[in-house]
């Protein structure tokens, strides 16, 4: 079935994090819904669309960066209360914007993930999971690696509380109270979890996961053991999965799978007769998709996919036809509504151009004044440095809220820069004096106009370790630059894996001596990627690794 969707940009708020936009439910199947979104300035904005214009419902005052936004309410009722996590606090708002909850948790770190089910609140910091009921502490769990998301199977269907944590060590952890029920190994580091069909499917036990290397899967979490249903591998080398939703955009009565990725790709999967996902539609934006929701926002009767992007744009891909076709010699009549919209956009553009000219003149005058002090502009950089198993290369993704002017890459360790199809920037290399200042690489990428997202690829040499630095300069005045550092480990091409082939011949190196468990762990962290910095709990630990370049394997055990 072919799906035709047309893009509509609605509104821009501040920079947004993953899973910080929702659509408020309505009584009618195709009545227009309100959009509620939280940004890094701590502002919650709720708006609707009338005659293609954004109409504000409420807007809160600025505060700490909003890391998650969820909808909740009593079980069995409409989920229309808005909950936001900012720092270590959870705030609740009614659909009209009235604050009814301010809950300061006992977490020492900022909240990274949140899930709400009736009066149960599930929160995660980097390694710590907490369960609260009516704002009272119930359960606690310390994870072996960083937690990226949390979800709970539907209590109203199963009559038991089963939280699931998505952890960076390629594992989903199912909990019961404060105890680990079991672990589920998945093919990549899971970045997002959601209930299948929005309610866990027929059994209520089905969850969808997306990984940071772009894979998607469905798994059933039963009481005793996990049952994998299907997996979609990232054959097209798309970005990592940041958000998932279920919504019937094809109109066939079955909820489709909506996927948003960190390279700006949007995908819609329908299901075939065997309940296997089939790609039906794809669309590319120029920045990462932080939230995705299916609903009806722009116009009654027309379903759409609503997206939030990193720089704060709320965009709709709507089923409403926005263009008309005419045969040769026919006149196209533009409706009065469309003529008014074009006129208002023209006048808005002229006003903005005039305002920009005024501000530029003011800046020029003040910069020439002897008493003026230039403030360094603040801007957000979203970055990701990951090892790709397929071609044994590192991928560095940089995203800025405004257009990037240039990126300077400097390395004190030998690395090879590889070509990237999606990268349109012009690269130039400088001669390095490795003897005196230890530089092995100096490369400048000059970006095309309006580039806010770019990907670089490089390959390191095992045995050589050091630091790669990226100097990111956006197109703003006065000129400012942010530096990001990435460690290249001695065994940089090794990747964590769940199992190794025990039948292959192995060399063994044993070390014994007067050193602590924490000291050995710090050596392993220094040498190998994807190892949690926090010393593991317990007396002994085993990590397995596979070399992505040579396909050799490594087992690290220490006690």
């Amino acid at each position: 079935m072919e799906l035709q969707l047309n893009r509509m940009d609605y509104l821009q708020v501040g920079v947004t994090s993953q899973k910080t936009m929702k659509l408020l439910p309505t009584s009618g199947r195709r009545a227009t819904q309100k959009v509620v979104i939280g940004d890094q300035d701590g502002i919650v904005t709720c708006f609707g669309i009338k005659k293609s214009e954004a109409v504000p419902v409420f807007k809160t005052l600025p505060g700490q960066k909003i890391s998650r936004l969820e909808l909740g309410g009593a079980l069995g009722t409409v989920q229309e209360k808005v909950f936001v996590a900012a720092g270590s606090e959870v705030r609740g708002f009614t659909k009209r914007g009235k604050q009814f909850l301010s809950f300061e948790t006992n977490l020492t770190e900022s909240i990274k993930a949140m899930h709400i089910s009736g009066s149960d609140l599930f929160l995660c910091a980097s390694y710590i999971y907490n369960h609260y009921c009516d704002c009272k502490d119930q359960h606690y769990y310390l994870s072996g690696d960083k937690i990226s998301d949390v979800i709970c199977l539907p209590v109203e269907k199963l009559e038991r509380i089963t939280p699931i944590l998505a952890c960076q060590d390629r594992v989903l952890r199912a909990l019961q109270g404060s105890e680990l029920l079991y672990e589920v190994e998945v093919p990549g580091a899971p970045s997002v979890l959601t209930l299948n069909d929005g309610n866990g499917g027929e059994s209520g036990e089905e969850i969808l996961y997306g990984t940071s290397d772009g894979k998607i899967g469905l798994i059933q979490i039963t009481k005793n053991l996990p049952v994998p249903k299907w997996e979609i591998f990232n054959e097209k080398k798309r970005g990592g999965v940041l958000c998932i939703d279920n919504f019937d955009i094809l109109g066939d009565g079955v909820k489709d799978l909506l996927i948003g990725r960190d390279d700006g790709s949007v995908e819609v999967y329908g299901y075939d007769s065997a309940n296997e996902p089939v790609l039906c539609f794809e669309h590319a934006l120029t920045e990462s998709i932080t939230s995705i929701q299916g609903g009806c926002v722009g116009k009654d009767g027309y379903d759409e996919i609503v997206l939030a992007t990193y720089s704060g744009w709320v965009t709709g891909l709507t089923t409403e036809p926005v263009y008309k076709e005419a045969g040769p010699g026919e006149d196209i009549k533009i409706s009065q509504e469309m003529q008014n919209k074009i006129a208002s956009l023209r006048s808005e553009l002229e006003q903005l151009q005039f305002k920009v000219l005024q501000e530029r003149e003011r800046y020029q005058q003040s910069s020439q004044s002897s008493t003026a002090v230039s403030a360094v502009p603040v801007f957000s950089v979203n970055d990701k440095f990951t090892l790709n198993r397929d071609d044994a290369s590192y991928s560095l993704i940089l995203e800025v809220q405004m257009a990037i002017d240039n990126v300077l890459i400097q390395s004190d360790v030998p690395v090879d820069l590889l070509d990237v199809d999606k990268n349109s920037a012009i690269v130039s290399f400088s001669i390095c004096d490795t003897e005196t200042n230890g530089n092995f690489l100096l490369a400048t990428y000059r970006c095309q106009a309006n580039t806010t997202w770019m990907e670089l690829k490089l390959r390191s040499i095992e045995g050589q370790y050091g630091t790669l630095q990226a100097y990111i300069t956006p197109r703003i005045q006065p000129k400012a630059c942010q530096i990001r550092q990435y460690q290249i480990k001695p065994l940089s091409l090794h990747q964590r894996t769940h199992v190794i082939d025990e039948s292959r011949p192995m060399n063994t190196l044993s070390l014994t001596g007067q050193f602590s468990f924490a000291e050995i762990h710090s050596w392993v962290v220094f040498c190998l990627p994807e190892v949690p910095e926090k010393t593991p709990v317990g007396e002994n630990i085993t990590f397995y690794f596979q070399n992505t370049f040579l396909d050799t394997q490594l087992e690290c055990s220490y006690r």
Side-chain angles (χ1 to χ4, degrees), residues 8-32:
M8 303 280 277
D9 289 337
Y10 292 131
L11 181 77
Q12 188 175 24
V13 295
V15 172
T16 63
S17 302
Q18 186 185 1
K19 289 175 84 171
T20 50
M21 180 200 70
K22 292 283 181 187
L23 301 186
L24 292 173
T26 57
S27 47
R29 159 75 176 88
R30 285 188 162 185
T32 55

Side-chain angles (χ1 to χ4, degrees), residues 14-16 40 287-288 290 308-312 380-382 399-401:
V15 172
T16 63
Q40 288 195 8
E287 50 183 320
S288 59
T290 52
T309 68
Y310 172 71
S311 71
S380 297
V381 176
N382 184 21
E399 185 172 18
V400 185
Q401 67 196 93

Side-chain angles (χ1 to χ4, degrees), residues 172 205 557:
L172 304 181
E205 299 174 323
S557 300

Side-chain angles (χ1 to χ4, degrees), residues 24 34-37 44-48 55-59 95:
L24 292 173
K34 305 286 187 283
V35 180
V36 60
I37 184 166
V44 181
T45 307
C46 179
F47 68 94
V55 179
V57 176
F58 71 83
K59 190 173 182 175
K95 63 177 181 178

Side-chain angles (χ1 to χ4, degrees), residues 51 60 156 166 231 315 404 412 443 448 463 468 494:
K51 294 183 179 173
T60 67
E156 60 271 34
E231 277 173 16
T315 296
I404 303 169
D412 59 9
Q448 309 279 351
L468 178 86
H494 280 67

